[in-house]
Amino acid sequence: MTDSAAPRETAVTELPAKAAPAPKIRSKAPRPKGRSLYNLIGVAVAAILGFPVYWMVNTALKPDKYAISNDPKFLPFPITLDNFKRALDVSDFWGPVTRSLIIAGTTVAIGLVVGLLAALAISRFAFRGRKVVIVGILTVQMVPLVAMIIPVFLLLNDLGQYNKLSGIILTYLTFVLPFTVWTLRGFIVNIPKELEESAMVDGCTRTGAFVRVVFPLLAPGMVATAIYGFIQAWNEYLYALQLLSQTNTTATVWLGNFTTTRGTEYAPMMAGSTMMAIPVVIFFLLVQRRIASGLTAGAVKG
C-alpha cells in the first residue's frame, strides 16, 4: 500500500485569445460619371438665364452716362441710387404699381377658383362634350393675343368696361384661365382616385374627401399655376396700353414714360424695371417651399 494517493492532475484547457476586431473600412460610394459635367452645364444655364436680370440691376446702379457705352462695365462702379430717385419722380409710380397688384392678384384669385372647379369637373366626371371642352381650351391658347385686341376693345366698350380695372381683369382671364384649367387638370389626374374613394368609405362626403385629401396634394400645383398667372398678368403690356388711359395705366405701361422724343433714358428705366420685379420676387420667395414640396407628399402615412 502506498502512503498517500497520488493527486489527480486536472487538465486545464486554454481558451483561445480573443481576436482583435477587424478595422471597419468605410467604402465611399462611387460618384456617378458625368456628374461634374452636369453641374457645369447647370451653372452655365443658370448664368445665361440670370445674366439679363443682373444686367438690369447693373444698369440701374450705374450713372446715366455709363448706361450705354462702347466699353461696357460688368460691375456698377461707381454705384449711384439717383436712377431710382428719378424713376420715382417720373409721373406717378405707386399708382400704376398698386393697380398692377390689384389686377394681377384679382386675376389669379378668380382664375384659381374657377379653374380649379373646371379642372376637377373635366378630370373626375364624365359628361357629354368633355372632349370638346378640352379641345376648346387648347384652341384658345393657340390664338395670338394681338388677334383678339380689336374684338375685346369693342366688346368692353359696349359693356361700359373700357378704361376700368374690372374690364382689364376680365380680359386677362381670357388667357390666364385656359392655362390654369389645363395645368390643374394635369395635377388632378396624377392624384389617384383611390385616395378619394378610401376617404368616402371612411365616411367623408365627396366634398369632404376633396377638401381633406385632394386639396392638400394639389396645393403645390396651385402655387405653381398662381405664380405663372401672376407673372403673366403683371407683365402684360399690349392690352393695358390699349384698354386703359394714361391716367389709369399699369406699371408696365408706366415704363414707357422713359421713352421720349429725345430718346430713351435707359438707366432710370432699368431702375423702374428693378422696382417692378420686386413684388414678383417676394411672391415667389413666399411660396417657394410649396413648389419644392412633392406633389404626393403625405399621401401615404404610416
Side-chain angles (χ1 to χ4, degrees), residues 13-294:
T13 56
E14 296 182 359
L15 297 174
K18 253 187 187 178
K24 294 182 180 180
I25 302 175
R26 294 182 180 179
S27 59
K28 293 183 178 179
R31 298 182 66 180
K33 296 181 179 179
R35 184 175 180 180
S36 300
L37 178 61
Y38 294 149
N39 291 338
L40 185 62
I41 294 175
V43 171
V45 171
I48 293 173
L49 295 178
F51 183 77
V53 179
Y54 166 75
W55 198 253
M56 176 184 70
V57 179
N58 183 22
T59 306
L61 296 174
K62 288 180 181 178
D64 197 11
K65 61 181 180 180
Y66 296 126
I68 300 179
S69 175
N70 295 328
D71 184 19
K73 296 182 178 181
F74 287 89
L75 293 176
F77 185 79
I79 294 178
T80 180
L81 298 178
D82 290 341
N83 297 322
F84 293 91
K85 184 176 181 301
R86 291 176 60 191
L88 292 173
D89 290 340
V90 171
S91 184
D92 181 24
F93 173 75
W94 298 111
V97 169
T98 303
R99 284 188 287 271
S100 292
L101 286 173
I102 293 173
I103 293 171
T106 307
T107 301
V108 169
I110 297 176
L112 281 180
V113 173
V114 178
L116 177 60
L117 296 177
L120 184 64
I122 293 173
S123 58
R124 285 291 193 259
F125 301 100
F127 55 90
R128 186 176 299 177
R130 177 171 171 266
K131 292 184 178 180
V132 177
V133 174
I134 296 175
V135 173
I137 292 174
L138 292 175
T139 305
V140 169
Q141 295 186 73
M142 296 171 60
V143 178
L145 296 180
V146 179
M148 298 189 298
I149 190 167
I150 295 178
V152 168
F153 172 80
L154 296 175
L155 179 62
L156 291 181
N157 192 31
D158 292 340
L159 295 176
Q161 294 296 317
Y162 174 74
N163 195 25
K164 291 185 178 180
L165 298 186
S166 56
I168 200 72
I169 289 171
L170 291 174
T171 304
Y172 286 176
L173 283 172
T174 59
F175 54 83
V176 172
L177 190 56
F179 173 82
T180 302
V181 173
W182 183 256
T183 306
L184 292 180
R185 174 188 173 273
F187 282 104
I188 295 175
V189 168
N190 289 329
I191 299 177
K193 292 182 179 179
E194 289 75 13
L195 295 177
E196 292 180 76
E197 294 173 356
S198 300
M200 294 173 67
V201 168
D202 291 339
C204 284
T205 61
R206 181 175 293 274
T207 304
F210 173 77
V211 173
R212 296 183 181 183
V213 178
V214 178
F215 188 78
L217 302 180
L218 194 59
M222 294 183 64
V223 170
T225 306
I227 288 178
Y228 178 84
F230 186 88
I231 293 175
Q232 195 172 12
W234 178 267
N235 292 333
E236 204 284 322
Y237 174 79
L238 182 62
Y239 280 92
L241 178 65
Q242 299 296 329
L243 301 179
L244 296 175
S245 64
Q246 287 295 326
T247 58
N248 200 27
T249 187
T250 59
T252 51
V253 181
W254 170 84
L255 286 175
N257 293 325
F258 297 101
T259 302
T260 62
T261 55
R262 296 177 295 176
T264 302
E265 298 179 273
Y266 288 99
M269 178 181 284
M270 293 299 102
S273 300
T274 303
M275 291 187 291
M276 279 182 52
I278 291 176
V280 179
V281 174
I282 293 175
F283 181 60
F284 177 78
L285 291 177
L286 291 175
V287 298
Q288 64 174 340
R289 292 185 179 180
R290 276 294 187 180
I291 298 177
S293 61

